């Protein structure tokens, strides 16, 4: 340990000193009573001993420590460190943090838009929120946020409150973030313009052709189910017979919204998900109960390593009942249930009380060891290093965790939902130049300027005509490269050639979004998905798999080449 750097002592008035002591003792007493409530009185003596020891140490520090101390801060720190010995998802939020965290699902907020997890003083990105600034510039699941505007984010100062404080801010303001990414030796710098994080959670709903509909759900918030029903009604009115449900990058949210959507696909009163915990009061079964909007017709679910929690519940229910073909890569594997418990001072404990299981009996939760959250948070990096993102053969199934769908197909537990059809991550067009374009917002800013300069020309056509006929010309690409050079980005010819198809598609997509998407009132971003999906290898594979999806719906598994 290093000797602490001398700091100006914190001076508290007698009233200020007494207040945190009262609060902390009340908090400790509340935890003691909570132990009685949650355990039914078991191990009460051990809990009382632990409380007495903590109280004794706290009072000794307060009364005898050489300098003045912030007791509230000590209590918060001790709680955080205590919870690190548990599972990776049990967490504690101070009052301010709890309010900020709830706003992720309950209302909009200004910031950069990432779902994150903190362990061992490191901030890991679970998933960038769809439609937010972080997704726009290319932040990815598994990235490590190292610095914000030059301030260290990793280290002892990596708390929820600090992350919220540094990342959130008034829309339109810029934040510079240093990011560590698996597979790259050097950290990357991103300049992100804070924006209003959209409250909409259905990002796109459009007809691919006369029969196939595409619907993307980016998270499960308060309004997701209502948005879903509105989108499905629109698609059905346009002749929907086959559906692609895209859950990639969906970090989860409210379980009830996910099961309500599952109910729209699954007939009868079939089991959708169940939970089991140490205390049987938290054992719960959720069954289908409604006549759904789309109980007949082939369904394909797109999933990947950024699909977590509630999105895994939905994908698992549809897979186990042979109602949908899952295409993509293994999902995140977050299957622990947290109960939010509001404490007396407004802070919040999110305590893991049970596990989620799919209808076949699979635990969604990937493996973890108590107190070893660092290994847990490096799981996505481990998958990358093992080749799992690129080869189905890298996924090893544990024969002890073999389960069966309704039709007798073999499915496996062990963490996350395994796809029926594996699609590797496409890195063929990636380059350092492309990442730098994202990081500096070059593509988005160029597209916005182009739209503003060509309003009359673009306004003479509708989006469908733009989609079919518009191309990003070589002259436009040259202008874009010049913008990059002005921003200090020097492209290599081989990088430009490699990434050119994606640069052209992204630029066209942004032009479509800025010209036609901002006229929308429904929160959908159909335009950019209609431009980009034809270049998306997972989406394209899904279109080729509707024969198997139709066979699956009929109960004919012969074309699926699956183990039974």
């Amino acid at each position: 340990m290093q000797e602490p750097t001398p700091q100006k002592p914190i001076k508290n008035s007698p009233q200020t000193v007494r207040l945190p002591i009262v609060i902390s003792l009340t908090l400790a007493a509340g935890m003691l009573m909570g132990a009685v409530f949650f355990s039914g009185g078991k191990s009460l003596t051990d809990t009382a001993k632990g409380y007495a020891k903590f109280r004794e140490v706290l009072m000794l520090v307060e009364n005898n420590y050489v300098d003045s101390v912030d007791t509230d801060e000590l209590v918060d720190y001790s709680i955080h460190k205590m919870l690190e010995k548990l599972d990776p998802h049990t967490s504690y939020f101070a009052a301010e943090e709890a309010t900020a965290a709830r706003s992720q699902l309950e209302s909009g907020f200004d910031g950069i838009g990432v779902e994150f997890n903190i362990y061992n003083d490191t901030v890991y990105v679970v998933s960038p929120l769809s439609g937010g600034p972080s997704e726009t510039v290319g932040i990815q699941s598994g990235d490590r946020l190292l610095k914000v505007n030059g301030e260290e984010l990793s280290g002892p100062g990596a708390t929820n409150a600090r992350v919220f404080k540094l990342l959130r801010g008034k829309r339109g303001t810029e934040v510079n973030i240093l990011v560590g990414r698996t597979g790259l030796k050097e950290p990357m710098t991103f300049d992100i313009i804070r924006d209003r994080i959209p409250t909409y959670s259905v990002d796109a709903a459009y007809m691919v052709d006369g029969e196939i509909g595409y619907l993307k759900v980016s998270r499960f918030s308060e309004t997701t189910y209502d948005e879903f029903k509105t989108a499905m009604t629109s698609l059905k009115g346009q002749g929907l017979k086959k559906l692609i449900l895209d859950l990639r990058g969906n970090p989860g949210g409210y379980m009830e919204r996910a099961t309500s959507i599952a109910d729209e696909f699954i007939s009868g009163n079939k089991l959708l998900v169940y939970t089991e915990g140490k205390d049987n009061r938290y054992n719960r079964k959720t069954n289908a109960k409604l006549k759904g909007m789309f109980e007949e017709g082939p369904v394909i679910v797109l999933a990947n390593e950024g699909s977590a929690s509630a999105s895994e519940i939905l994908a698992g229910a549809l897979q186990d009942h042979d109602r949908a073909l899952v295409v993509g890569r293994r999902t995140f594997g977050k299957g622990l249930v947290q109960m939010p418990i509001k404490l007396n001072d407004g802070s919040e404990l999110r305590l893991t009380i049970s596990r989620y299981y799919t209808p076949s009996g699979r635990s969604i939760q990937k493996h973890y060891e108590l107190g070893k959250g660092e290994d847990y948070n490096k799981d996505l990096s481990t998958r990358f290093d093992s080749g799992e993102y690129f080869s189905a053969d890298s996924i090893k199934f544990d024969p002890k965790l073999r389960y069966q769908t309704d039709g007798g197909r073999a499915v496996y537990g062990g963490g996350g939902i395994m796809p029926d059809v594996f699609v590797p991550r496409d890195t063929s067009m990636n380059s350092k130049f492309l990442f730098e374009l994202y990081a500096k917002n070059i593509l988005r800013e160029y597209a916005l300027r182009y739209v503003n300069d060509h309003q009359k020309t673009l306004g003479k056509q509708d989006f469908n005509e733009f989609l079919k006929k518009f191309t990003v010309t070589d002259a436009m690409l040259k202008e874009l490269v010049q913008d990059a050079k002005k921003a200090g980005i020097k492209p290599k010819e081989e990088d430009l050639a490699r990434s050119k198809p994606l640069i052209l598609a992204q630029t066209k997509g942004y032009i479509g979004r800025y010209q036609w998407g901002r006229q929308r009132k429904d929160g959908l971003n159909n335009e950019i998905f209609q431009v980009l999906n034809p270049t998306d290898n997972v989406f394209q594979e899904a279109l080729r798999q509707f024969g198997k999806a139709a066979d699956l719906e009929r109960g004919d598994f012969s074309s699926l080449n699956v183990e039974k």
Side-chain angles (χ1 to χ4, degrees):
M1 295 179 62
Q2 294 181 335
E3 183 177 352
T5 302
Q7 296 181 348
K8 185 179 180 180
I10 301 172
K11 295 183 179 180
N12 296 318
S13 66
Q15 292 83 2
T16 305
V17 169
R18 285 196 293 270
L19 180 59
I21 295 175
V22 171
I23 291 175
S24 57
L25 292 181
T26 303
L27 176 60
M31 293 172 67
L32 177 61
M33 290 186 290
V36 177
F37 173 74
F38 286 113
S39 67
K42 294 178 182 177
S43 304
L44 179 56
T45 302
D46 291 341
T47 306
K49 286 180 180 178
Y51 159 64
K53 181 188 293 185
F54 178 80
R55 177 182 180 277
E56 184 179 5
V57 171
L58 188 67
M59 294 299 292
L60 286 169
V61 170
E62 176 59 38
N63 293 326
N64 301 289
Y65 185 65
V66 63
D67 294 321
S68 297
V69 295
D70 186 329
T71 316
D72 233 2
E73 185 177 327
L74 288 178
V75 170
D76 282 356
Y77 181 79
S78 64
I79 292 173
H80 280 297
K81 286 301 177 183
M82 174 179 67
L83 298 183
E84 282 186 6
K85 293 296 183 181
L86 304 181
D87 69 272
H89 294 291
T90 289
S91 55
Y92 168 76
F93 294 86
E96 214 173 287
E97 297 175 309
T99 301
R102 282 192 295 270
S103 72
Q104 298 264 82
L105 298 174
E106 295 175 355
S107 61
F109 59 93
D110 293 349
I112 70 166
V114 289
E115 178 89 5
F116 66 87
N117 196 21
I118 300 176
Y119 186 80
N120 202 20
D121 303 329
T122 301
V123 182
Y124 295 88
V125 174
V126 174
S127 184
L129 297 182
S130 182
S134 290
E135 183 198 49
T136 299
V137 302
I139 297 293
Q140 297 179 5
S141 299
D143 282 350
R144 303 181 306 282
L145 305 186
L146 306 177
K147 289 184 179 180
V148 178
N149 290 334
E151 294 188 41
E152 294 283 350
L153 194 56
S154 57
T159 64
N160 286 298
R162 182 169 173 77
V163 175
F164 285 131
K165 181 179 179 181
L166 291 176
L167 298 187
R168 293 191 178 184
K170 187 176 180 180
R171 74 186 74 176
T173 57
E174 186 176 86
V175 57
N176 178 272
I177 298 182
L178 187 68
V179 170
R181 176 171 296 172
T182 300
L184 297 179
K185 294 181 180 179
E186 299 295 328
M188 302 174 62
T189 299
F190 290 85
D191 294 321
I192 304 177
I193 306 298
R194 295 184 180 96
D195 201 354
R196 189 67 173 172
I197 305 306
T199 55
Y200 294 105
S201 51
V202 173
D203 282 358
Y206 70 88
M207 293 298 293
V208 180
D209 58 25
E211 294 185 340
I212 299 174
Y214 172 84
L215 195 155
K216 180 170 178 61
V217 181
S218 60
R219 56 191 172 277
F220 294 96
S221 65
E222 286 184 328
T223 61
T224 301
Y225 183 46
D226 291 333
E227 292 178 53
F228 171 83
K229 289 190 294 183
T230 299
M232 284 295 292
T233 299
S234 174
L235 293 178
K236 290 180 72 175
Q238 299 174 63
L240 176 69
K241 291 184 173 59
K242 307 172 185 177
L243 179 69
I244 296 175
L245 178 61
D246 193 346
L247 300 179
R248 289 176 296 172
N250 183 324
Y254 292 120
M255 182 197 77
E256 292 80 3
R257 306 305 189 271
T259 54
S260 293
I261 291 176
D263 199 354
E264 296 293 343
F265 295 103
I266 295 171
S267 61
N269 64 344
K270 296 174 183 173
L271 182 63
L272 302 177
V273 66
Y274 68 94
T275 61
E276 288 186 353
K278 180 173 66 176
D279 190 324
N280 59 19
R281 285 176 295 172
Y282 305 120
N283 295 350
R284 176 181 174 186
K285 291 184 177 181
T286 302
N287 291 73
K289 56 186 177 182
L290 302 174
K291 174 64 178 174
M293 299 179 72
F294 201 69
E295 292 183 354
E296 295 180 358
V299 179
I300 291 178
V301 170
L302 307 186
N304 66 4
E305 58 280 353
S307 308
S309 193
S311 57
E312 296 175 287
I313 290 172
L314 175 53
L318 295 176
Q319 186 181 54
D320 280 3
H321 290 304
D322 299 305
R323 182 64 191 92
L325 191 74
V326 179
V327 175
R329 295 184 292 279
R330 179 162 68 102
T331 60
F332 184 85
K334 198 277 188 184
L336 295 175
V337 185
Q338 283 73 51
M339 171 185 282
I341 304 166
K342 194 169 183 179
L343 305 178
N344 291 332
D345 64 344
S347 59
E348 185 174 286
L349 174 65
R350 296 188 179 180
L351 183 66
T352 297
I353 56 170
S354 57
R355 287 181 169 83
Y356 288 122
Y357 294 86
T358 71
S360 67
R362 291 182 288 168
S363 171
I364 293 171
Q365 180 62 41
K366 60 189 174 186
H367 175 73
Y368 66 89
E369 293 183 44
L370 293 178
K372 294 187 177 181
E374 185 173 6
D375 292 341
Y376 180 86
N377 282 298
K378 288 181 178 178
D379 173 64
L380 295 183
S381 300
T382 301
R383 295 190 201 185
F384 180 93
D385 294 337
S386 70
E388 183 179 323
Y389 291 161
F390 307 102
S391 172
D393 294 337
S394 298
I395 303 175
K396 305 301 180 185
F397 298 114
D398 186 343
K400 296 178 182 178
L401 300 176
R402 184 182 187 277
Y403 299 86
Q404 287 189 327
T405 67
D406 288 355
R409 292 189 300 138
V411 288
Y412 289 86
I417 303 300
M418 303 289 185
D420 300 305
V421 177
F422 174 82
V423 184
R425 180 186 282 187
D426 184 7
T427 59
S428 61
M429 291 181 281
N430 287 353
S431 69
K432 185 174 184 288
F433 177 56
L434 179 66
F435 291 149
E436 289 177 328
L437 291 180
Y438 289 156
K440 297 290 185 180
N441 287 304
I442 301 299
L443 301 181
R444 187 168 65 169
E445 291 180 4
Y446 176 82
L448 183 59
R449 188 173 74 246
Y450 183 90
V451 168
N452 291 334
D453 292 343
H454 297 81
Q455 278 291 325
K456 290 185 178 179
T457 305
L458 293 171
K460 292 178 181 178
Q461 58 188 318
D462 62 19
F463 176 73
N464 287 329
E465 186 179 359
F466 168 84
L467 188 61
K468 293 176 183 177
K469 297 181 179 179
F470 184 88
T471 58
V472 177
T473 64
D474 288 343
M476 293 171 65
L477 180 61
K478 188 175 180 181
E479 291 174 348
L480 197 152
V481 170
Q482 286 301 318
D483 286 351
K485 289 180 179 178
K486 290 178 183 177
I489 303 171
K490 299 178 180 179
K492 294 181 179 178
E493 286 300 321
E494 57 268 30
D495 281 357
L496 180 57
R498 182 178 185 181
S499 299
K500 181 178 178 180
L502 193 51
I503 293 172
L504 299 181
Q506 289 275 5
T507 304
K508 180 176 178 179
Y510 285 132
I511 291 172
R513 171 184 281 182
Y514 290 133
Q515 176 64 28
W516 288 276
R518 60 186 177 183
Q519 301 170 14
R520 287 183 167 274
K521 305 296 183 183
D522 54 13
L524 298 177
N525 294 304
N526 287 350
E527 291 76 19
I528 196 162
F529 286 96
Q530 286 177 269
V531 172
L532 293 181
N533 275 343
T535 69
D536 181 343
N537 68 323
V538 180
F539 176 85
Q540 290 300 315
E541 184 61 36
L543 294 179
R544 292 190 287 267
Q545 294 294 334
F546 266 111
K548 291 182 180 180
D551 289 345
L552 181 66
E553 186 192 14
R554 290 193 298 267
D556 178 3
F557 306 133
S558 59
S559 67
L560 275 72
N561 298 319
V562 294
E563 179 187 352
K564 290 193 69 178

